[in-house]
Amino acid sequence: MATLVFDVAAFRLAYPAFASESLFPDETLQLYWDEATCYVSDQDCGRLRGACREQVLNLITAHIAKWSQMVATGQNAGVIINTAIDKIS
């Protein structure tokens, strides 16, 4: 069973919002990837394999990076707990 390894260059290509190495150093993105592996294993096994597993881990990494950036800049990164449209809520 292979372990997927974070490819920072491929991540930056797939998610250009995180291309800035000064705003998002490689080490920081690696920490976010490591956190992402708490939610989805980096072990290439099961139904989610190869490029699909890597894509999911990169997506989670991007979400963590964006939320961290929002919190650091004082933006509301909270969860929406309710909403309403017309008479539906």
Side-chain angles (χ1 to χ4, degrees), residues 23 27 31 38 44 55 57 79:
L23 288 175
E27 298 79 15
L31 289 172
C38 293
D44 195 18
Q55 184 177 11
L57 283 166
V79 177

Side-chain angles (χ1 to χ4, degrees), residues 28-41:
T28 302
L29 291 176
Q30 179 67 55
L31 289 172
Y32 295 152
W33 166 277
D34 294 343
E35 186 176 344
T37 65
C38 293
Y39 302 101
V40 172
S41 174

Side-chain angles (χ1 to χ4, degrees), residues 13 23 40 49 72 75 78 82:
L13 275 174
L23 288 175
V40 172
R49 302 192 116 191
Q75 297 178 48
N82 67 32

Side-chain angles (χ1 to χ4, degrees), residues 1 3 5-8 11 17 22 24 32 34 36 41 45-46 48-49 52 56 58 60 62 65 72 78 84:
M1 173 177 359
T3 301
V5 177
F6 183 55
D7 182 345
V8 71
F11 177 83
S22 60
F24 301 98
Y32 295 152
D34 294 343
S41 174
C45 63
L48 190 60
R49 302 192 116 191
C52 290
V56 168
N58 281 333
I60 296 170

